[in-house]
């Protein structure tokens, strides 16, 4: 079973990219499960066609004796969708929610017959809970999404620090940087060098395309909404790369000054 986690700054495109990856995997005939680990709870929206109505935490709060049917929802192309959920805003800790939710997923053994499991994790928060998918061995192949914007690189570098810590004592590896374009200056070159400095590579550079927003407004992945579009081809290519990726590494994160200098080198005209 492929156990993949996608990390990155909030709003960078994790859920969109993960849902398109799941859709592409399912088209290849794989049995796929996507697990949303963001208290925002919208990871699987494009697969379900609506916001998940019952997160694992909702179910746990309401009932002790729960079954896998309570937490697994079936989406596009029979993809299994799970949302960890989160506490009410202002009360409780989001990370704790992920811990409880993933424990339930493990307890109910819902992932045993999957070919690929994808964890979509909010990663720009310094909270132990967000490290659970990699700390507890749920995911082994980690990908970080970033654009050329400094703050997204900053978050990506921090995530690399976390991955390094767990990689040194286990099987967790960084599989690459997924570039998700914000059309910044020399963005692809910057991301290529950023990735190389982290001892990894830019596995795919996803263009910014309004078809993504069109599909989002229809509550669909691009794979479903515009199956023949160039953007859908990019997501399929990414799925292939992820499936056959042989370059799994232990990252070498940078210090902040180095990161700033890199962003300045590519991201300014004079
Ligand atoms: P995250 O899960 O990281 O918080 P989302 O996947 O929800 O981020 O994406 C944030 C917004 O960016 C969404 O409105 C999404 O449609 C848009 N978006 C993501 N990737 C692209 C892209 N390649 N081109 C255009 N819009 C994108
Ligand atoms: Mg998201």
């Amino acid at each position: 079973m492929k156990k993949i986690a996608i990390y990155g700054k909030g709003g960078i495109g994790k859920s969109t990219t993960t849902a398109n990856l799941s859709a592409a995997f399912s088209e290849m005939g794989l049995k796929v499960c996507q697990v949303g680990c963001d208290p925002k709870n919208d990871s699987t929206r494009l697969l379900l066609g609506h916001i998940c109505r019952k997160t694992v935490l909702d179910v746990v709060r309401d009932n002790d004796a729960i079954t896998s049917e309570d937490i697994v929802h079936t989406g596009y192309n029979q993809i299994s969708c799970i949302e960890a959920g989160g506490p009410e805003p202002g009360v409780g800790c989001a990370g704790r929610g992920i811990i409880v939710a993933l424990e339930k997923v493990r307890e109910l053994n819902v992932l045993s017959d999957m070919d690929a499991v994808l964890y979509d994790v909010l990663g720009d928060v310094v909270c132990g809970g967000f490290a659970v998918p990699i700390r507890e061995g749920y995911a082994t192949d980690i990908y970080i999404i970033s654009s050329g914007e400094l703050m997204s690189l900053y978050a990506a570098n921090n995530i690399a620090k976390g991955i390094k810590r767990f990689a040194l004592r286990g099987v967790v590896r960084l599989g690459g940087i997924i570039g998700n374009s914000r059309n910044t200056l020399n963005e692809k070159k910057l991301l290529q060098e950023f990735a190389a400095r982290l001892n990894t590579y830019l596995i795919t550079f996803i263009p910014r395309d309004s078809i993504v927003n069109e599909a989002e407004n229809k509550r669909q992945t691009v794979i479903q909404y515009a199956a023949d579009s160039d953007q859908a081809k990019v997501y399929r290519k990414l799925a292939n790369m992820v499936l056959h990726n042989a370059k799994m590494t232990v990252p070498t994160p940078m210090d902040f000054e180095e990161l700033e200098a890199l962003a300045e080198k590519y991201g300014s005209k004079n």
Side-chain angles (χ1 to χ4, degrees):
M1 189 204 303
K2 273 271 175 204
K3 299 190 284 184
I4 299 159
I6 312 279
Y7 277 81
K9 182 182 175 294
I12 195 63
K14 294 179 298 295
S15 300
T16 309
T17 307
T18 309
N20 276 287
L21 258 182
S22 291
F25 282 149
S26 76
E27 276 185 355
M28 294 165 158
L30 302 185
K31 206 164 161 18
V32 182
C33 180
Q34 179 163 324
V35 186
C37 300
D38 185 328
K40 214 163 62 165
N41 176 25
D42 63 345
S43 171
T44 55
R45 176 177 172 269
L46 303 178
L47 298 171
L48 293 171
H50 54 80
I51 286 272
C52 178
R53 296 188 182 107
K54 273 265 179 206
T55 69
V56 181
L57 279 193
D58 292 336
V59 178
V60 169
R61 261 193 296 266
D62 294 350
N63 192 349
D64 272 351
I66 66 173
T67 64
S68 55
E69 285 78 42
D70 296 325
I71 60 168
V72 183
H73 312 275
T74 305
Y76 173 75
N77 229 357
Q78 299 303 310
I79 295 170
S80 296
C81 301
I82 299 173
E83 288 285 349
E88 292 292 315
V91 282
C93 157
R96 176 80 201 137
I98 297 174
I99 296 172
V100 171
L102 292 188
E103 272 169 6
K104 274 287 162 214
V105 167
R106 182 171 276 174
E107 214 176 284
L108 295 171
N109 203 22
V110 289
L111 303 176
S112 56
D113 63 338
M114 295 293 158
D115 299 311
V117 180
L118 296 93
Y119 298 87
D120 169 8
V121 200
L122 176 62
D124 60 332
V125 201
V126 184
C127 160
F130 295 102
V132 169
I134 49 178
R135 194 177 63 211
E136 306 293 329
Y138 289 96
T140 53
D141 301 10
I142 318 301
Y143 293 86
I144 309 175
I145 304 200
S146 183
S147 70
E149 288 173 327
L150 181 61
M151 284 306 129
S152 120
L153 296 167
Y154 175 76
N157 190 54
N158 267 345
I159 294 159
K161 287 181 187 170
I163 298 170
K164 181 182 176 187
R165 183 166 307 122
F166 298 115
L168 292 175
R169 56 172 214 232
V171 292
V172 169
R173 292 290 179 271
L174 177 60
I177 304 295
I178 299 171
N180 196 27
S181 177
R182 283 284 170 99
N183 291 328
T184 62
L185 277 180
N186 305 308
E187 194 171 32
K188 190 171 177 183
K189 278 196 190 133
L190 165 59
L191 284 165
Q192 277 167 335
E193 183 165 347
F194 173 71
R197 296 269 196 102
L198 288 186
N199 191 34
T200 183
Y201 72 119
L202 182 66
I203 185 165
T204 299
F205 182 70
I206 305 171
R208 188 153 192 87
D209 191 325
S210 59
I211 195 85
V212 177
N213 306 104
E214 257 183 70
E216 178 180 50
N217 291 332
K218 287 283 183 190
R219 303 175 191 83
Q220 291 176 18
T221 59
V222 176
I223 296 279
Q224 180 181 9
Y225 178 75
D228 299 325
S229 62
D230 287 342
Q231 194 76 2
K233 284 178 196 143
V234 173
Y235 291 122
R236 285 196 199 99
K237 181 186 150 214
L238 174 63
N240 246 309
M241 300 283 292
V242 166
L243 213 53
H244 303 111
N245 191 0
K247 277 195 217 169
M248 307 301 293
T249 66
V250 177
T252 51
M254 286 179 258
D255 60 38
F256 188 66
E257 284 71 26
E258 213 181 335
L259 184 65
E260 260 183 335
L262 186 68
E264 192 180 354
K265 174 178 163 191
Y266 288 98
S268 56
K269 281 185 178 146
N270 40 48

